[in-house]
Amino acid sequence: MAKLDEITELLTEELEGFRKSIVQLERISGELKSSEVVGEISTIKRQLEDLDQKQDIHFQRSIGESRKMGEMMAAAKLTPKWLLALFCIASILTVLALGYFGYHFIQSEDYESEAFENGKEHVILDLKDYLDEHPEVYKDFQAWSKEQERVPNQK
């Protein structure tokens, strides 16, 4: 029976310690419920939710603004494509025209000398034919020519 008394005594002590622990937990629980910390946490949660909503609105606005800016940047080109194509075509035509006229300018010197020689031969032949048909003019020409040789060149 001594063992039974001992066990009973131990159980009584354990129950008494358990009761004290429960009383202490109830007291602490009451303090926590009545404390301002719980109220402050709910306030902080509400403020965080408000901040999160404001940030979402701000980010949505930022995304919208950046999208608008992207569209404006795409639309604000310095030169339209058609103007660039027109400039390229005009440049090519200018280069071709300058090349064509440059080539003909260089060739014109050869044409001029050839035309001068052809004209000189043609004039000499025409003059010879004319002078053969009109011998009196030929005689006058010879007289004039001798007179021109005597007069010094006055240039």
Side-chain angles (χ1 to χ4, degrees), residues 107-125:
Q107 294 297 319
S108 69
E109 292 177 4
D110 295 338
Y111 292 139
E112 286 175 4
S113 63
E114 186 179 329
F116 178 75
E117 292 297 324
N118 289 340
K120 185 177 172 183
E121 289 175 13
H122 185 66
V123 166
I124 289 173
L125 289 175

Side-chain angles (χ1 to χ4, degrees), residues 11-90:
L11 281 175
T12 308
E13 286 177 12
E14 287 293 322
L15 284 175
E16 186 63 30
F18 183 69
R19 189 182 59 77
K20 286 181 183 178
S21 295
I22 289 178
V23 170
Q24 188 178 7
L25 283 174
E26 286 176 352
R27 184 180 50 85
I28 292 173
S29 175
E31 288 177 7
L32 284 177
K33 286 182 181 178
S34 68
S35 72
E36 294 180 14
V37 173
V38 175
E40 288 179 12
I41 290 175
S42 64
T43 305
I44 291 173
K45 282 183 181 179
R46 189 174 58 249
Q47 288 176 349
L48 285 174
E49 288 172 358
D50 290 344
L51 180 63
D52 189 36
Q53 288 175 353
K54 288 178 183 178
Q55 283 180 337
D56 285 342
I57 292 170
H58 176 71
F59 287 140
Q60 292 300 325
R61 257 193 236 142
S62 295
I63 290 170
E65 290 295 321
S66 63
R67 194 174 296 134
K68 284 180 188 176
M69 290 295 282
E71 291 171 0
M72 289 172 63
M73 294 286 282
K77 295 179 181 172
L78 292 176
T79 56
K81 289 181 181 178
W82 65 267
L83 185 60
L84 184 62
L86 182 66
F87 177 74
C88 289
I89 290 170

